[in-house]
Amino acid sequence: MPESAATPASAVDVLVVGGGINGAGIARDLAGRGLSVVLVEQDDLASHTSSASTKLIHGGLRYLEYYEFSLVRKALAEREVLLRAAPHIIWPLRFVMPHDPSMRPVWMIRAGLFLYDHLARRELLPPSRTVSLATHPAGAPLKPQFTKGFVYSDGWVDDARLVVLNAMDAAAHGARIFTRTRCVQARAEAGVWRLQFEGPSGAPRALAARALVNAAGPWAAQFLRQAVGKPGTKALRLVKGSHIVVPQIFAHDHAYIFQNADGRIIFAIPYEGRFTLVGTTDVEWHGEAAAARIDAGEIAYLCEQASRYFAKPVSPGDVVWSYSGVRPLIDDESGNPAAVTRDYRLELTREAGAPLLSVWGGKITTFRKLAEEAGDELCRELAHGGRTWTAGRPLPGGDLSDWVTPSGRPDTDIERFREALARRVPQVDADTRARWSRSYGSLVSRILERGSLGASVAPGVHEAELHYLREQEWARSADDVLWRRSKLGLHLSPAQRDAVAAWWAKHEHDAPLTV
């Protein structure tokens, strides 16, 4: 399946630039409609913004205050679609908002939650309700002055794996995916794009495409200026969002949404079993997108805001890991970075008769809808009759019917799958089985079909899994595995992470990968 080292064919229908969630989603949509598609990504899949989210599939409760009803409705509808499509990497999560009388009044919160419950059809998730924090388990970790709370539903997603699964499905439908490959020049001539690339070896490559998709995220405007030669293109508003990971603050399965004195909100979310994820910030960013890192002020801000609510203060010394990403937002001239719209815009132009579709903005929850709309536009431009198809189709690993009889409840089915996996491989420890079920779903069969799990490279990491990731998920380094295909880096010691890196170095020159 992966093809990061091969040479692209001479001509295709569509070239997609960018291996984040929008690029991978568009490649999947187009390939499934029967178009020939190539996707190029300058780094690993989901290397930047798409692996640096708060990892939520949500309507965006706070967007209601900015009257973004259309965006919230669209995102709420997509929650249900995605929960069914990928129950292994997306699952329901209940959120608790402690009421702070100095912030939004009760009537406003209740009105917002009523809209949130009813703006779109909801079948899988329970409605919001008011709870007493004196008796609800979510009240125990909080300061005693918080006596009332509001509980509502959204979803959790493994964001980097969502990107990989879209790329895998695109490849399953015939798309070719090139990682570590940069499009350095795109020139339109007589209705065709003439494209130049640099791959991992630095050797130049060429490709012709009938249409070009610019899904380069934070680099979208730069790509148009430098590779396409369109100097007057619009500017994106780059907003850095940072998160911290601390040792587990609470043991229950709810997440928190906290209102801050500055009008923003942060989340505190159960993470990787032993940790709590706290984020995010909204900071204007004017540097190179790949260089974005959390700073001391952001860490202090997140700790301070979390400590306003938790009985046990959160301090910078508690932080065991952090990550930052740059959101490429549409510049709507809002003074407050938190108020900048998270909606998307698709801009279709023609250069010398060749279609160019640029993706501006967007959020992870609405990626499938964005991709579907992009597919509709490109099919019209290319006079191709392919129809929409992704709304009811599972992502790779999401079809569990070979393991369990579907119940109509994806959350129930994934738990039954986990039990079936335990019966199939009782020799594998429970923590590893739990990780496999949540990471791979039914794709775990591809790991098991090797016959032997091979040597244990690190605790819970077998050679069979590493071979699978290398051969079928475009993993090319230990970091690809430890921090994107999984978060094993949080659980392994430095020596154990070094052992995984040594395995990759040993197998760097194994037989060429195939598609």
Side-chain angles (χ1 to χ4, degrees):
M1 182 178 296
E3 191 179 351
S4 64
T7 301
S10 58
V12 295
D13 289 323
V14 183
L15 173 81
V16 179
V17 175
I21 188 56
N22 289 333
I26 291 171
R28 176 196 183 216
D29 184 279
L30 294 173
R33 297 182 193 226
L35 290 162
S36 57
V37 178
V38 166
L39 180 147
V40 295
E41 161 56 41
Q42 63 183 350
D43 297 307
D44 183 27
L45 297 170
S47 280
H48 302 290
T49 305
S50 294
S51 60
S53 75
T54 312
K55 309 186 190 308
L56 300 180
I57 296 296
H58 66 143
L61 181 62
R62 71 181 181 87
Y63 304 149
L64 293 175
E65 288 191 315
Y66 301 111
Y67 307 106
E68 296 240 28
F69 300 117
S70 175
L71 171 61
V72 174
R73 180 183 294 110
K74 182 164 47 182
L76 290 174
E78 283 300 291
R79 281 187 324 190
E80 299 274 320
V81 175
L82 297 177
L83 283 165
R84 296 183 189 279
H88 49 322
I89 63 162
I90 303 174
W91 57 89
L93 185 61
R94 293 287 269 173
F95 288 79
V96 178
M97 177 189 290
H99 180 238
D100 184 340
S102 68
M103 302 290 175
R104 298 160 178 86
V106 169
W107 69 264
M108 181 182 291
I109 296 173
R110 284 179 172 162
L113 289 173
F114 178 85
L115 282 173
Y116 208 66
D117 284 341
H118 294 92
L119 273 174
R121 184 177 180 180
R122 174 178 45 80
E123 296 179 345
L124 300 175
L125 299 174
S128 60
R129 65 188 184 100
T130 304
V131 296
S132 168
L133 295 176
T135 57
H136 193 280
L142 301 177
K143 292 179 176 177
Q145 65 260 37
F146 299 107
T147 60
K148 177 185 291 186
F150 305 91
V151 179
Y152 68 96
S153 295
D154 263 323
W156 164 263
V157 62
D158 186 330
D159 51 4
R161 289 210 58 74
L162 183 65
V163 177
V164 171
L165 295 183
N166 273 272
M168 291 180 72
D169 210 21
H173 285 89
R176 284 171 298 148
I177 312 296
F178 296 85
T179 61
R180 273 80 174 183
T181 300
R182 189 164 65 95
C183 181
V184 295
Q185 187 178 84
R187 295 290 184 264
E189 299 175 0
V192 176
W193 286 100
R194 304 293 178 183
L195 306 145
Q196 297 291 326
F197 305 89
E198 289 180 357
S201 67
R205 305 172 178 178
L207 177 74
R210 297 172 62 203
L212 175 63
V213 174
N214 170 22
W219 292 272
Q222 178 180 319
F223 173 75
L224 290 181
R225 289 192 301 270
Q226 296 181 356
V228 182
K230 289 173 66 72
T233 141
K234 69 179 69 177
L236 284 168
R237 188 165 181 180
L238 302 183
V239 176
K240 180 177 64 164
S242 297
H243 299 75
I244 58 174
V245 176
V246 298
Q248 187 179 63
I249 300 173
F250 51 91
H252 60 76
D253 61 358
H254 285 46
Y256 293 95
I257 176 172
F258 294 148
Q259 305 173 83
N260 305 339
D262 59 4
R264 296 196 66 259
I265 56 96
I266 64 167
F267 295 98
I269 303 170
Y271 192 61
E272 288 290 308
R274 298 163 41 203
F275 304 96
T276 300
L277 175 66
V278 180
T280 180
T281 60
D282 281 301
V283 178
E284 296 279 2
W285 182 253
H286 301 287
E288 167 60 33
R293 301 290 185 274
I294 195 169
D295 60 40
E298 290 177 286
I299 293 175
Y301 173 83
L302 293 173
C303 290
E304 178 185 354
Q305 299 306 322
S307 297
R308 290 184 60 247
Y309 288 88
F310 287 123
K312 181 181 178 182
V314 181
S315 70
D318 296 326
V319 177
V320 298
W321 185 54
S322 64
Y323 62 87
S324 301
V326 176
R327 308 181 192 101
L329 305 180
I330 300 170
D331 192 352
D332 58 4
E333 301 183 354
S334 172
N336 178 5
V340 182
T341 182
R342 266 54 174 177
D343 210 346
Y344 57 82
R345 184 176 303 146
L346 301 177
E347 182 180 44
L348 183 65
T349 61
R350 280 185 171 270
E351 307 295 324
L356 167 63
L357 182 71
S358 291
V359 179
W360 305 105
K363 61 196 297 283
I364 199 164
T365 305
T366 52
F367 86 89
R368 191 206 62 84
K369 193 65 178 173
L370 179 157
E372 189 173 76
E373 292 175 14
D376 288 344
E377 291 207 29
L378 287 167
C379 282
R380 282 194 295 269
E381 285 293 308
L382 299 176
H384 183 82
R387 298 181 179 180
T388 60
W389 66 280
T390 59
R393 296 288 288 274
L395 284 163
D399 181 357
L400 306 175
S401 59
D402 286 345
W403 290 76
V404 300
T405 302
S407 68
R409 291 284 316 184
D411 50 345
T412 299
D413 291 347
I414 194 66
E415 289 307 312
R416 293 169 58 213
F417 168 77
R418 185 170 170 173
E419 295 168 0
L421 183 61
R423 293 191 295 270
R424 172 82 174 270
V425 285
Q427 73 276 20
V428 176
D429 66 273
D431 287 344
T432 300
R433 291 198 306 264
R435 180 175 65 81
W436 283 359
S437 64
R438 281 301 189 187
S439 295
Y440 303 118
S442 59
L443 286 173
V444 75
S445 297
R446 300 190 184 181
I447 297 173
L448 301 179
E449 69 188 9
R450 301 184 72 91
S452 168
L453 295 181
S456 176
V457 178
V461 184
H462 298 83
E463 283 193 300
E465 181 180 7
L466 297 180
H467 281 298
Y468 161 78
L469 291 170
R470 180 181 179 276
E471 294 166 5
Q472 301 191 45
E473 290 200 7
W474 296 276
R476 294 293 174 270
S477 72
D479 275 359
D480 295 353
V481 171
L482 297 175
W483 298 108
R484 281 181 289 279
R485 306 305 186 281
S486 78
K487 293 297 179 288
L488 282 164
L490 273 173
H491 301 280
L492 300 179
S493 69
Q496 291 163 349
R497 294 196 295 269
D498 287 346
V500 177
W503 187 95
W504 280 97
K506 178 181 177 181
H507 291 272
E508 182 178 2
H509 301 294
D510 280 1
L513 304 176
T514 58
V515 179

